[in-house]
Amino acid sequence: MRIIYFIGLLMAFSACKQEKKESMEIKQLNEGWVYSEVDGSHRGAASVPGTIHTDLLNNKQIEDPFYRTNERDQQWVDKKDWVYETTFVIEEALLSKDKLQLHFYGLDTYADVFVNDYLVLKAFNMHREWDADIKQFAKVGENQLKIVFHSPIKRGLELYNASPYSYPANNDQSENGELGDKKVSVFTRKAGYHYGWDWGPRFVTSGIWRPVELRAWNDYKIESVYLMQLMVNNDVAELEAEIEIQAESHSNVKAIIRNKEDNSIVAKQDFEINKGENKVAIPFTIENPKLWWSRGLGEPNMYDFEIQISNGTNLVSTKSISTGLRSIKLVREEDEKGESFLFELNGVRVFAKGANYIPNDSFLPRVTKSDYDKVVADAVNANMNMLRIWGGGVYEDDYFYDLCDKNGIMVWQDFMFACSMYPGDEAMLNNIRKEAEDNVIRLRNHPSIVLWCGNNEINIAWHYFGKGGWGWKERYTPAQQEEIQEAYVNIFHKVLPDVVDEFTNNADYWPSSPQAGYDIDKHASDVNTSGDMHYWGVWHGLHRFEDFDKYKARFMSEYGFQSFPELNTVKTYASNEDFDIESDVMAAHQRSGIGNLRIKEYMSWYYNVPADFEEFLYMSHVLQAEGIGMAIEAHRRAMPYCMGSLYWQINDCWPVASWSSTDYYHNWKAVHYTVKRAFEPIIISATQNKGNIEIYGISDFQQEKKASLKIELKDFGGKVLKTINQQLKLEANTSTQIFTFASSELKGINKKKTYLSITLKDKDKLIAEQKYYFTFPKDQELDKANIDISIIEQTEDKLVVSVKSDSLVRSLFLSLNKSKGFEWSDNYFDMEADESKMITIFGDVANIKTEDIKIMTL
């Protein structure tokens, strides 16, 4: 009887159990490719994903594009057409499927795709994904796949010549590309920086820059799933899964949504679908959700869901989606000073700390997961909570956004438009709309993305309403101005916000960065009290570093100062004969024409300018760190008026002198260590005001904190001249002036040999420290210090050293000449007399001796 009962249960269970027969089959087509030059002799094995430049390099048909001035000799590559070919095998079972489709994740850019000599696709946008139905052209056995890439320069010239006028595009280095003043980049939907920028070379690539797949399926395919977050708080998350399904016939199906953490079913629904595209919405609720928080506020909790579509007893299509549950909004509220601009996450108003981000390489397929790992880790380790994906690059790889999700890094996402005006004909608008749809749909489930922004700097540059801007509109007749303005309005105030509205649940959109308000006539300036600001008075305007405290907005989305990379990086692109900042090679690796001499000019204001090349590189690091550190402190002191500080930029796309805080090889410059300190959750910041020294305590924490303040007036030899102790309360999530050191307290003091040492402690725990100097470094009377370094701990990949000095040391830089790739827990720091500091070095350090550690100081 028990046996019969057990068999009955087993049969009942089997009847209920779905048989998984996923209809989608995917075959990767990234192997066996070859390339050839149309009407030319260059050919060889190709890498997919790849570019023609990297294929030519791998086949030794061009030299390293980044070395010395090789870039100049390689401008012929982008004026050629190229053919890429491979073969692939289709089995009879695969060909018998209802649908057979090639999917291209990225084609760069003008590409005609042939299968067995049949034209199946004409692609014309680098930023889009492309599908080609090939069932009628495919056959059992070997099939030929050929892609003809038309020169983006030749296509651009055709469109340029057909246009009634040219368009402004300041960063298109057409002269370097041997095109004179013909700036063709605006006509092609391709990464703008490929045509050059003021920090990047001109390599206008072609190629299969993202993977290729062959897809085959019967019946159904889940095209996309959007987990719409209707309401999220600590108690409940009300969600709705919007599922788009492609069906080959009419049918009744069941959708099940599982939480993959415990395999629980969170929602299920039966529904009817018709042949073609179908959209269904399934609401569900999660009680007491684990919220997604940005770094510093809490854990960036993620949820993994699987959406299953079944037909009877068969599971026919699935899709996995990861997301974080959070409420996010851009808060723009009128106040007595203007209008706020800040991000509110789960009800908490967040000071955004971070940087602008550009592509990690001129040749995008060379960017590896380890590159993404490193750049996001660099942001995390520098206490950042936001990166701005700038509009002259690309919509980044999914892996990058996954890392931001998992690490609590908020993303300001530009659409890919920067520093140019664009044509607004119907074909261009349709192309832009489809590009925006592709990328919004692809990226909208990432909790890290907190803002979609239309473009970089176009509103301020064009300045259609009133005087100002970059002198663009003055080049055109009134009728032409109106036509160009209409195109601008259509792209950035209609097409892009419409796509964000249609494909997201009220995600915030901002038309242009910077802008002094949402309306199109709100042009930003250095004094706007609403919106965001790009402040370039320092650097381009020759403003002093002190002016960072003068020019502050509600959100500082760009500002910066340049430095050179370190010597080991310079050696990768220059030889010893080039070691002069005015040499041809050093000039070629400085795309801001004023750059190298501007660094020298600013250096002379604050520091002694060394004649030695390596020392000059070091001093450029120290100078950049001083400027950006002053900026961040000024912005944080201005909380809550100012609620964001994103400097330009965290990374580089080639080895170059630029505004980056980490170089092309992800080595930290001095400024990245300074940024790490300046973005700590609690900092002390001292500034001079009318002769008095005002000291501020700044906290990101959400609770008030009791602390003890200690201020010591010291000479450089360590003698304490005056001490002040005070108990205080550090207010939550704001900036508070906690002490004023009156100018009268400094009478009779030699300011060239003294400084303030300021510490903040919670009981005995140091929570913040700052040194304030009364004069510029070039005027300080620093003694020659005796610096002692000893090894405390050593393993194969970790070295701990103790560093001690008998006198004040400024900007102490430790380096190892043996190889690259070391990571330091701290560097470019000041040390007080008799202070001992522990520094950890990560890397291949098993055989490092103390004499291998090189020291540079002011």
Side-chain angles (χ1 to χ4, degrees):
M1 189 69 181
R2 289 179 181 176
I3 295 174
I4 295 173
Y5 179 72
F6 174 77
I7 293 173
L9 280 177
L10 185 61
M11 292 174 63
F13 176 78
S14 300
C16 294
K17 185 181 178 183
Q18 293 179 332
E19 184 179 354
K20 186 168 182 177
K21 291 185 177 179
E22 175 72 55
S23 68
M24 173 78 75
E25 291 189 38
I26 297 175
K27 180 179 289 191
Q28 301 295 322
L29 301 183
N30 300 321
E31 303 295 332
W33 288 87
V34 295
Y35 70 91
S36 60
E37 178 187 357
V38 175
D39 299 326
S41 59
H42 294 91
R43 63 191 70 248
S47 296
V48 172
T51 73
I52 184 57
H53 289 79
T54 48
D55 285 333
L56 291 168
L57 177 64
N58 293 339
N59 284 277
K60 297 181 170 46
Q61 293 168 340
I62 59 172
E63 300 296 322
D64 178 0
F66 293 166
Y67 188 65
R68 303 196 79 205
T69 60
N70 285 344
E71 173 198 0
R72 298 173 185 171
D73 301 325
Q74 296 176 6
Q75 296 305 305
W76 63 271
V77 176
D78 61 33
K79 296 166 187 65
K80 299 286 188 176
D81 298 336
W82 301 91
V83 177
Y84 278 71
E85 297 177 273
T86 192
T87 60
F88 61 97
V89 174
I90 297 179
E91 299 81 7
E92 186 171 349
L94 201 67
L95 190 60
S96 67
K97 297 272 190 180
D98 293 337
K99 298 286 286 186
L100 188 65
Q101 189 179 79
L102 286 174
H103 182 80
F104 299 92
Y105 285 94
L107 293 170
D108 179 16
T109 293
Y110 296 105
D112 296 343
V113 179
F114 297 85
V115 172
N116 297 328
D117 293 327
Y118 291 98
L119 178 65
V120 298
L121 173 67
K122 293 181 76 70
F124 44 84
N125 187 323
M126 176 184 181
H127 302 300
R128 287 171 60 175
E129 297 186 18
W130 298 92
D131 291 321
D133 292 321
I134 65 167
K135 186 174 174 65
Q136 61 180 313
F137 309 113
K139 60 185 179 181
V140 173
E142 188 173 85
N143 291 257
Q144 295 176 331
L145 175 57
K146 178 173 73 174
I147 306 176
V148 179
F149 288 97
H150 301 278
S151 161
I153 298 302
K154 290 195 294 188
R155 284 292 174 91
L157 283 170
E158 291 171 6
L159 294 166
Y160 178 95
N161 293 329
S163 175
Y165 44 77
S166 62
Y167 290 83
N170 285 19
N171 288 286
D172 184 329
Q173 298 169 8
S174 55
E175 293 83 2
N176 288 349
E178 302 170 352
L179 299 181
D181 62 355
K182 295 181 178 180
K183 300 184 183 301
V184 302
S185 56
V186 300
F187 297 99
T188 297
R189 293 307 301 144
K190 176 174 171 57
Y193 84 108
H194 281 167
Y195 296 84
W197 218 266
D198 59 0
W199 36 258
R202 183 182 175 95
F203 291 112
V204 187
T205 55
S206 293
I208 308 168
W209 78 284
R210 280 179 169 162
V212 184
E213 290 178 351
L214 178 65
R215 298 174 172 179
W217 70 91
N218 291 323
D219 302 327
Y220 317 101
K221 182 178 77 162
I222 300 177
E223 293 282 0
S224 68
V225 177
Y226 178 37
L227 294 178
M228 197 179 304
Q229 303 188 24
L230 304 178
M231 185 188 73
V232 177
N233 57 41
N234 286 318
D235 299 321
V236 65
E238 295 182 2
L239 310 174
E240 184 172 277
E242 184 179 271
I243 307 171
E244 183 179 349
I245 301 170
Q246 183 73 30
E248 298 306 306
S249 61
H250 174 274
S251 182
N252 294 311
V253 298
K254 179 190 291 289
I256 294 176
I257 303 174
R258 292 184 182 274
N259 184 340
K260 294 173 73 173
E261 183 179 17
D262 57 8
N263 203 33
S264 61
I265 296 176
V266 296
K268 58 183 176 180
Q269 184 172 308
D270 295 317
F271 53 89
E272 183 180 11
I273 59 174
N274 297 309
K275 183 176 181 179
E277 292 184 4
N278 298 264
K279 282 188 178 180
V280 297
I282 304 176
F284 63 101
T285 299
I286 294 180
E287 303 288 343
N288 303 312
K290 298 177 182 178
L291 299 184
W292 185 89
W293 289 97
S294 63
R295 187 160 187 83
L297 289 180
E299 292 300 316
N301 296 295
M302 296 290 292
Y303 282 81
D304 297 321
F305 298 100
E306 184 176 70
I307 291 80
Q308 303 172 340
I309 303 296
S310 60
N311 179 11
T313 59
N314 292 331
L315 187 61
V316 293
S317 189
T318 64
K319 197 170 189 70
S320 293
I321 297 292
S322 293
T323 195
L325 305 182
R326 86 287 190 266
S327 66
I328 184 71
K329 63 180 178 179
L330 176 64
V331 178
R332 296 189 295 113
E333 297 173 341
E334 290 187 9
D335 55 32
E336 68 279 3
K337 295 178 181 177
E339 183 182 82
S340 66
F341 190 105
L342 61 93
F343 294 93
E344 186 176 280
L345 176 63
N346 302 326
V348 175
R349 298 191 167 192
V350 185
F351 187 95
K353 303 182 296 187
N356 288 262
Y357 169 98
I358 65 171
N360 283 299
D361 204 298
S362 293
F363 308 112
L364 287 159
R366 294 205 302 200
V367 180
T368 63
K369 284 189 174 182
S370 63
D371 289 312
Y372 287 122
D373 290 338
K374 186 63 168 66
V375 76
V376 174
D378 289 342
V380 168
N381 292 331
N383 296 303
M384 296 184 193
N385 60 17
M386 178 176 280
L387 291 172
R388 173 179 173 239
I389 311 306
W390 164 80
V394 293
Y395 307 93
E396 272 296 350
D397 190 88
D398 290 282
Y399 184 73
F400 169 83
Y401 299 98
D402 290 341
L403 289 172
C404 291
D405 292 342
K406 294 171 184 176
N407 285 281
I409 300 294
M410 296 181 290
V411 172
W412 170 316
Q413 178 68 55
D414 281 4
F415 285 97
M416 292 303 116
F417 301 88
C419 301
S420 304
M421 302 306 291
Y422 296 86
D425 57 274
E426 184 178 0
M428 177 64 93
L429 292 179
N430 288 338
N431 194 11
I432 290 170
R433 177 179 291 277
K434 190 64 177 75
E435 168 190 321
E437 289 178 2
D438 277 7
N439 288 285
V440 170
I441 290 171
R442 175 171 70 94
L443 300 175
R444 61 189 172 179
N445 284 306
H446 288 283
S448 55
I449 297 180
V450 299
L451 182 70
W452 292 91
C453 180
N455 68 71
N456 175 77
E457 295 188 342
I458 301 178
N459 180 278
I460 191 175
W462 179 237
H463 224 92
Y464 184 72
F465 299 94
K467 295 181 180 180
W470 297 356
W472 286 0
K473 65 177 182 289
E474 288 77 12
R475 306 177 195 175
Y476 301 93
T477 67
Q480 289 171 338
Q481 289 181 27
E482 187 175 340
E483 187 173 70
I484 295 171
Q485 174 69 6
E486 182 182 9
Y488 179 88
V489 172
N490 285 336
I491 296 170
F492 302 110
H493 285 264
K494 293 181 180 178
V495 170
L496 296 181
D498 286 353
V499 169
V500 173
D501 284 346
E502 181 178 353
F503 294 99
T504 73
N505 179 38
N506 298 317
D508 282 302
Y509 173 82
W510 188 242
S512 181
S513 180
Q515 204 157 302
Y518 189 92
D519 294 338
I520 197 169
D521 61 342
K522 301 296 185 183
H523 304 308
S525 71
D526 283 354
V527 294
N528 50 280
T529 59
S530 302
D532 67 319
M533 179 191 290
H534 293 190
Y535 173 55
W536 286 104
V538 172
W539 185 262
H540 289 298
L542 280 174
H543 293 188
R544 295 182 67 88
F545 289 163
E546 294 86 335
D547 285 348
F548 278 124
D549 199 38
K550 180 179 178 181
Y551 297 102
K552 299 187 291 286
R554 313 311 292 264
F555 195 103
M556 304 299 293
S557 46
E558 262 195 41
Y559 59 91
F561 194 86
Q562 276 202 4
S563 71
F564 293 91
E566 65 179 42
L567 184 60
N568 281 337
T569 295
V570 171
K571 288 178 179 178
T572 67
Y573 65 80
S575 61
N576 288 356
E577 65 194 86
D578 305 318
F579 288 178
D580 183 311
I581 65 167
E582 296 184 63
S583 72
D584 193 29
V585 169
M586 294 302 290
H589 287 256
Q590 167 57 272
R591 288 320 232 257
S592 180
I594 59 173
N596 292 352
L597 295 180
R598 181 135 303 180
I599 292 171
K600 186 175 182 179
E601 181 174 4
Y602 268 89
M603 193 182 295
S604 70
W605 298 352
Y606 299 99
Y607 296 90
N608 295 317
V609 180
D612 178 80
F613 181 73
E614 183 176 3
E615 290 178 358
F616 190 89
L617 299 184
Y618 158 78
M619 283 306 310
S620 79
H621 281 216
V622 173
L623 177 70
Q624 180 191 32
E626 178 73 11
I628 299 306
M630 289 176 68
I632 294 172
E633 287 190 31
H635 302 156
R636 294 191 71 185
R637 283 197 303 269
M639 288 176 70
Y641 175 82
C642 176
M643 285 298 284
S645 184
L646 310 179
Y647 68 87
W648 185 270
Q649 67 217 62
I650 191 174
N651 60 329
D652 275 328
C653 69
W654 73 318
V656 65
S658 80
W659 295 270
S660 70
S661 61
T662 68
D663 69 20
Y664 173 68
Y665 300 103
H666 305 294
N667 298 307
W668 285 28
K669 299 181 183 179
V671 66
H672 210 79
Y673 295 97
T674 296
V675 164
K676 177 182 179 180
R677 300 176 201 120
F679 280 157
E680 288 281 358
I682 293 178
I683 65 166
I684 298 169
S685 179
T687 185
Q688 187 178 118
N689 184 17
K690 297 179 181 179
N692 299 323
I693 311 301
E694 296 176 348
I695 300 174
Y696 289 77
I698 302 146
S699 174
D700 291 336
F701 289 125
Q702 301 305 300
Q703 298 83 29
E704 179 183 85
K705 200 171 191 67
K706 292 181 180 180
S708 56
L709 174 69
K710 184 176 184 179
I711 305 170
E712 292 180 309
L713 178 64
K714 292 183 175 182
D715 67 19
F716 290 172
K719 183 179 179 181
V720 178
L721 307 176
K722 188 178 184 67
T723 301
I724 299 170
N725 291 289
Q726 179 175 302
Q727 298 298 311
L728 56 85
K729 289 182 180 179
L730 205 59
E731 294 184 33
N733 201 26
T734 194
S735 167
T736 308
Q737 187 174 332
I738 56 177
F739 193 83
T740 299
F741 201 96
S743 58
S744 59
E745 300 279 346
L746 302 174
K747 287 182 180 179
I749 298 297
N750 183 354
K751 296 182 180 180
K752 294 182 179 182
K753 292 183 70 69
T754 55
Y755 66 104
L756 292 179
S757 175
I758 312 167
T759 59
L760 201 62
K761 288 187 176 182
D762 179 5
K763 298 178 182 175
D764 293 328
K765 181 182 179 183
L766 181 69
I767 55 176
E769 61 181 332
Q770 177 71 288
K771 294 176 181 64
Y772 179 82
Y773 301 98
F774 302 109
T775 61
F776 298 135
K778 69 176 183 178
D779 299 321
Q780 292 172 357
E781 298 176 1
L782 292 166
D783 298 322
K784 181 171 177 60
N786 295 306
I787 300 171
D788 178 68
I789 298 178
S790 57
I791 293 175
I792 304 299
E793 178 186 344
Q794 187 166 17
T795 64
E796 289 187 358
D797 56 4
K798 178 182 173 183
L799 181 69
V800 180
V801 297
S802 170
V803 185
K804 190 173 183 178
S805 173
D806 63 354
S807 182
L808 178 74
V809 174
R810 298 221 53 198
S811 303
L812 175 59
F813 171 46
L814 306 172
S815 62
L816 291 166
N817 285 329
K818 293 205 166 191
S819 65
K820 293 177 284 187
F822 295 105
E823 294 183 20
W824 304 73
S825 61
D826 200 3
N827 219 332
Y828 293 95
F829 49 83
D830 292 0
M831 286 187 66
E832 300 187 30
D834 297 323
E835 178 186 0
S836 181
K837 193 172 179 70
M838 295 293 185
I839 302 296
T840 303
I841 310 165
F842 301 96
D844 183 10
V845 293
N847 299 314
I848 298 296
K849 300 178 177 61
T850 54
E851 55 264 32
D852 297 322
I853 302 175
K854 184 177 179 180
I855 294 175
M856 296 184 79
T857 77
L858 293 192

